[in-house]
Amino acid sequence: MSATRASLNAVPQRAQAMLFGDPLPDLDANSGYRGPIACRVAGITYRQLDYWARTGLVEPTVRGARGSGSQRLYSFRDILLLKVVKRLLDTGVSLQQIRVAVNALHERGVEDLTAITLMSDGASVYECTSADEVIDLVQGGQGVFGIAVGRVWQEVEGTLAELPVEYAEPGPEVDDELAARRAAKRQRVAS
């Protein structure tokens, strides 16, 4: 392995919000996409989406679930990460190695993420930032497949540009409609 190519196995975890900036200009911190749209764009099932959110692999950064009837909202960066995770799974990388890779991606700066190609030999995931690193990995017999994060970015951006955006209420607590109705019903019964 070359000195410039780093294995994603050695990078510690950091907050998910550091992964990517939202490229779509009309989005703000309180806007995002519902779970079904995130699933459709990433090519995953709702069951996968729910499991990955509950286990912390890819959590929605706009609005998380807050009980029965609440809707998660996923940002562009969340959906991009979902699609990268799906591609890694499709190529046979274990969920454990994907978690390591996702944690390492959190460490990357926004400026150079689109230049990254994720390579894997089926057991480990490597990040390559130049064509020479990709060639070095493949010639060494380690690389089996690659995922160009910049290309995935473009695919997700193009697809999401045509889909509806949802806006969450600003503030730390966003009450869902079902919870509000249940609270009103409890008040009526108690009166």
Side-chain angles (χ1 to χ4, degrees):
M1 187 156 95
S2 73
T4 58
R5 184 183 64 244
S7 170
L8 294 180
N9 297 335
V11 182
Q13 182 175 358
R14 190 179 276 223
Q16 182 169 342
M18 299 296 291
L19 182 56
F20 299 101
D22 286 334
L24 302 176
D26 60 338
L27 295 182
D28 61 27
N30 293 319
S31 61
Y33 303 90
R34 287 186 179 214
I37 289 175
C39 290
R40 186 168 118 197
V41 173
I44 61 173
T45 66
Y46 195 82
R47 179 175 244 154
Q48 287 173 304
L49 181 75
D50 182 56
Y51 177 73
W52 294 349
R54 286 186 291 111
T55 61
L57 178 62
V58 181
E59 298 176 280
T61 57
V62 177
R63 181 176 64 204
R66 290 187 175 81
S68 177
S70 65
Q71 290 282 325
R72 295 182 184 111
L73 285 183
Y74 290 84
S75 69
F76 173 87
R77 71 179 156 265
D78 301 335
I79 296 172
L80 177 61
L81 186 56
L82 289 167
K83 191 164 184 107
V84 168
V85 168
K86 170 67 167 139
R87 291 215 174 147
L88 289 168
L89 276 174
D90 287 348
T91 57
V93 177
S94 72
L95 200 52
Q96 181 181 7
Q97 283 297 314
I98 291 172
R99 285 184 190 280
V100 171
V102 166
N103 291 339
L105 284 174
H106 291 298
E107 293 292 317
R108 303 297 297 175
V110 172
E111 295 80 26
D112 61 355
L113 269 177
T114 57
I116 292 175
T117 299
L118 298 176
M119 300 291 291
S120 179
D121 57 6
S124 297
V125 179
Y126 304 92
E127 113 186 57
C128 298
T129 56
S130 73
D132 291 338
E133 290 176 353
V134 172
I135 291 168
D136 181 45
L137 187 63
V138 172
Q139 284 180 339
Q142 292 173 302
V144 174
F145 69 91
I147 298 172
V149 177
R151 171 118 16 221
V152 178
W153 178 296
Q154 291 170 346
E155 289 173 18
V156 171
E157 187 174 25
T159 304
L160 287 178
E162 302 170 4
L163 296 172
V165 175
E166 177 133 343
Y167 296 90
E169 306 251 342
E173 291 289 327
V174 179
D175 293 334
D176 62 80
E177 183 181 341
L178 183 59
R181 281 191 264 155
R182 287 179 177 163
K185 184 176 179 179
R186 282 194 300 271
Q187 286 179 342
R188 284 193 305 269
V189 171
S191 302

